[in-house]
Amino acid sequence: MLEKFENALMALLAVLSLSLVSTEVALRYFFPRYLTDYGMEFTIYFTVWAIFLAGGPLVREGRHVRADILLLMLPPFAQRVLEIVALLVGLAFAVTLSWYGWQMVLSSIDLGEKSESSAKFPLYLYYMALPFGTTLMIPPFLYRLYLYVFRFDPSTMLVTADHVARDK
Amino acid sequence: MTPFIAIGLLFTFLLIGLPIYLSLGFLALLLFWHEGTPLISLPQLLVDHLNSETLLAIPLFVIAATFMQKGGVAGALIDCAQAWVGRARGGLALVAVLACTIFAAICGSSVATAVAIGSVVIPAMIARKYEPHFALGVVGASGTLGILIPPSLAMIVYAVIAEESVPRLFLAGVIPGLLQAVLFISWIMIYARLRNYPVEPTISREDFVRMNLHAVPALMIPVIILGGIYSGVVTVTEAAGVAALVAIIEAIFIYRGVKPRDIVATLAESIKLTASIVFIIIGALAFGHWITSAGVAEALVTYVKTLNLSSWQFLLFINVVMLVLGMFLEVFAIILIVVPLILPILKALDINLIHFGIVLVINMEIALISPPIGLNLFVLSSVAKQPIMVAIRGIIPFLLIMLGLLGLVTYVPEVSLWLPDLVYSK
């Protein structure tokens, strides 16, 4: 359910940026006088939002790229400890970035920052992508910590995707 | 904090299995905090850097690559290649190289190229009694062309960090890419003769025409991308957008590999794939910012100068470092860890950054096929349902050819620079 909603949202934003870019190219070629100076700007906003929305799902699915070759050679206990360390570091990173990210948004509202194009788009709506996305990374980090601390099965090493799948 | 402690910490983080984006990003966070920089400047720095048109080309090319890979385009290209070279000895292997080369001009990802072509051509090769290790080796190695022949995701990521021109980098990859294809074809022709591999049956004139016509929509994509960029009609990002749109339309309506109900999931998948790259870029940007602002760049340059390295010695050294990293890390991770660190040194040693970009990309191709964890080996062994050792055995001759190519491109800059210099004058 959650996954469907996230997918739909990301796909929608992707479609929006795609159509914007293509319209822009078509306009430039055929009707240059209707060309705006903010088409690319909004394409960037949509895409950056889509990318930050994907941060949470990537944590939940354990799909952030890592070098796990050494990790996989260690005994289960050590793997578990290192995994917990990685999750704690990730949690600290997400919390710090979202905390200061929201502050950046608030200060941008106070300053009334607008984009330089004729759209004069309030920039805090763009900035918000970062704290919004990193805040959404916190629950999956906590959930995976819970799995590793309380639900670890050393015999099968099952915790992540398999466990999540079993819990569903 | 001295640069060496920071770099030591970075590699410790990587070694204990922290995700790459965290290794870079968390380290940057620690460094900012240690230097007393207000932490609010970190998110500020990130959103400012992400507000970039070049970066936008990444998701658009990823969308194009994903739809091309799943869309059934590969089949049409393979038929087309077969119509031309199928009747030579070892025809199917030559078809694989040719199809990968063309697919690479559509798609900027090596893994997507290897999977798209491999899932069609490897079963066909094995059915025609080619040795499995050879089939996997051919496609695994030819698939790496995805990032050398334009468009190329790896080049865009490098261009973002090195602040270089994407169209120039794209052009610089053309000749080394074609050279790689020619080298592979020569080796295959020798090997096919030794092993007496089969030739494909003659096809009728009608089939020849039909096979070529069916590939025309797919062949239009590189024309749109490269024609658009180099005629100056569109920017790289806009070309990526148009390519993505055309790829979606072709995948759904012409080659029909993607069903309308899968569109949402495929788009979301592309965004997730992009995000896993962009998160690493975020980490690298933050880390790179520290490197320049904390005077680390100068320290590194001074240190390298005391070693009295000439530029060719430095290139040799950095090639070895990247080959070793390539055995354990993934393409974008290596680019984003290595480039911020050595960029100031490259500039100090007067090494052309376009030339270096191509040296880097060839290193990344080798990383994709070097054991133990070359990504192309893994995806192909799962696509072809063959043990990983089969893929590793098959890749070895091609790995050696690639090392030769790397040496050539590293020490004869003209191989990469001739074309962009010709088009753009210096």
Side-chain angles (χ1 to χ4, degrees):
Chain A
M1 184 60 208
L2 175 66
E3 199 185 334
K4 276 216 166 125
F5 178 69
E6 286 165 350
N7 279 356
L9 204 57
M10 286 185 275
L12 176 69
L13 287 165
V15 168
L16 281 174
S17 6
L18 260 179
S19 358
L20 258 177
V21 178
S22 320
T23 321
E24 185 101 324
V25 174
L27 277 180
R28 167 121 42 79
Y29 207 77
F30 298 109
F31 311 100
R33 47 193 175 110
Y34 295 111
L35 210 57
T36 57
D37 64 340
Y38 47 78
M40 194 46 83
E41 178 186 330
F42 280 96
T43 317
I44 293 174
Y45 297 158
F46 289 137
T47 312
V48 171
W49 263 95
I51 287 168
F52 275 108
L53 286 177
L58 285 180
V59 173
R60 196 180 59 227
E61 297 162 19
R63 278 183 43 186
H64 278 294
V65 187
R66 65 202 303 192
D68 50 8
I69 182 146
L70 184 79
L71 199 68
L72 293 176
M73 291 190 303
L74 295 172
F77 173 75
Q79 283 198 35
R80 181 186 188 186
V81 170
L82 289 179
E83 189 65 49
I84 291 174
V85 169
L87 289 171
L88 285 172
V89 170
L91 190 61
F93 186 72
V95 168
T96 318
L97 263 193
S98 54
W99 172 256
Y100 287 101
W102 287 117
Q103 292 203 345
M104 162 182 76
V105 170
L106 293 178
S107 89
S108 177
I109 296 176
D110 283 347
L111 293 171
E113 284 178 291
K114 300 264 179 5
S115 69
E116 281 165 17
S117 70
S118 60
K120 298 264 176 272
F121 188 71
L123 277 177
Y124 76 91
L125 287 175
Y126 161 65
Y127 289 166
M128 218 157 73
L130 185 142
F132 198 88
T134 44
T135 305
L136 285 183
M137 286 165 81
I138 296 172
F141 267 130
L142 288 173
Y143 181 61
R144 295 198 57 192
L145 259 179
Y146 157 79
L147 290 178
Y148 268 90
V149 175
F150 298 106
R151 302 287 298 275
F152 187 75
D153 182 352
S155 60
T156 57
M157 304 280 307
L158 273 183
V159 274
T160 53
D162 312 285
H163 234 123
V164 177
R166 231 185 331 171
D167 281 359
K168 265 182 189 166
Chain B
M1 209 182 294
T2 73
F4 294 100
I5 298 180
I7 295 169
L9 264 178
L10 176 62
F11 282 93
T12 315
F13 286 167
L14 290 170
L15 219 57
I16 63 168
L18 276 193
I20 318 281
Y21 85 98
L22 268 184
S23 302
L24 288 160
F26 186 66
L27 180 63
L29 197 64
L30 287 180
L31 294 166
F32 272 57
W33 174 71
H34 180 80
E35 311 238 312
T37 318
L39 287 183
I40 194 169
S41 60
L42 188 60
Q44 189 74 56
L45 179 92
L46 299 180
V47 286
D48 281 346
H49 270 100
L50 289 178
N51 197 344
S52 127
E53 190 183 326
T54 314
L55 214 57
L56 188 59
I58 297 173
L60 296 172
F61 273 129
V62 170
I63 292 174
T66 315
F67 277 88
M68 281 284 131
Q69 183 199 322
K70 298 190 176 170
V73 179
L77 289 179
I78 288 165
D79 283 350
C80 171
Q82 194 167 334
W84 289 91
V85 298
R87 289 176 58 208
R89 190 148 303 281
L92 273 183
L94 299 176
V95 166
V97 178
L98 216 57
C100 281
T101 311
I102 305 170
F103 199 87
I106 296 177
C107 153
S109 148
S110 286
V111 174
T113 305
V115 170
I117 302 296
S119 48
V120 184
V121 103
I122 292 178
M125 285 175 83
I126 293 177
R128 299 278 282 143
K129 300 276 182 287
Y130 284 77
E131 294 145 291
H133 69 84
F134 180 70
L136 265 73
V138 169
V139 179
S142 310
T144 62
L145 280 170
I147 54 171
L148 184 58
I149 290 180
S152 159
L153 284 171
M155 288 185 198
I156 297 174
V157 171
Y158 171 73
V160 168
I161 302 292
E163 297 178 337
E164 268 301 331
S165 143
V166 177
R168 258 177 197 256
L169 273 168
F170 277 7
L171 274 184
V174 172
I175 291 180
L178 295 177
L179 196 58
Q180 181 184 337
V182 169
L183 289 173
F184 284 1
I185 286 174
S186 320
W187 164 245
I188 289 168
M189 290 175 86
I190 298 170
Y191 190 82
R193 209 154 281 268
L194 290 176
R195 289 293 159 132
N196 203 20
Y197 278 144
V199 299
E200 299 309 305
T202 323
I203 50 167
S204 66
R205 179 170 299 218
E206 292 86 65
D207 278 347
F208 183 83
V209 174
R210 185 183 52 79
M211 283 168 157
N212 278 304
L213 278 182
H214 192 52
V216 166
L219 295 172
M220 284 306 292
I221 296 180
V223 176
I224 296 173
I225 297 178
L226 302 176
I229 295 174
Y230 294 107
S231 63
V233 176
V234 292
T235 63
V236 172
T237 306
E238 289 168 343
V242 176
L245 196 70
V246 176
I248 294 175
I249 293 171
E250 289 188 5
I252 294 168
F253 297 109
I254 299 182
Y255 299 110
R256 299 194 189 148
V258 177
K259 298 198 175 56
R261 65 160 183 276
D262 298 332
I263 298 175
V264 170
T266 311
L267 278 173
E269 184 54 35
S270 314
I271 294 291
K272 283 188 204 170
L273 217 60
T274 308
S276 70
I277 301 171
V278 171
F279 269 83
I280 306 177
I281 296 182
I282 291 175
L285 286 171
F287 183 59
H289 181 81
W290 173 77
I291 287 178
T292 38
S293 69
V296 180
E298 288 106 86
L300 278 172
V301 169
T302 324
Y303 176 70
V304 172
K305 282 208 169 133
T306 61
L307 297 176
N308 244 330
L309 285 178
S310 59
S311 59
W312 76 265
Q313 286 167 319
F314 179 73
L315 281 174
L316 180 66
F317 166 74
I318 206 69
N319 271 331
V320 172
V321 170
M322 286 195 289
L323 289 174
V324 173
L325 286 178
M327 294 166 72
F328 304 100
L329 286 170
E330 207 244 353
V331 166
F332 298 110
I334 304 175
I335 298 180
L336 292 164
I337 290 167
V338 170
V339 174
L341 276 171
I342 63 168
L343 203 56
I345 305 174
L346 293 172
K347 285 177 181 159
L349 290 175
D350 242 352
I351 294 170
N352 184 306
L353 290 182
I354 300 283
H355 172 218
F356 181 76
I358 303 304
V359 172
L360 176 80
V361 168
I362 294 177
N363 263 297
M364 296 307 103
E365 294 185 82
I366 295 175
L368 281 162
I369 52 173
S370 46
I373 61 159
L375 207 49
N376 271 15
L377 303 178
F378 275 88
V379 292
L380 284 185
S381 80
S382 85
V383 163
K385 300 192 179 58
Q386 296 280 339
I388 185 76
M389 281 317 291
V390 172
I392 293 178
R393 181 177 159 210
I395 209 73
I396 290 169
F398 296 99
L399 204 51
L400 294 175
I401 296 176
M402 289 303 292
L403 287 173
L405 181 71
L406 176 64
L408 180 73
V409 172
T410 307
Y411 292 113
V412 188
E414 287 77 17
V415 177
S416 49
L417 293 180
W418 179 76
L419 190 58
D421 283 351
L422 182 76
V423 172
Y424 288 101
S425 63
K426 290 202 178 182

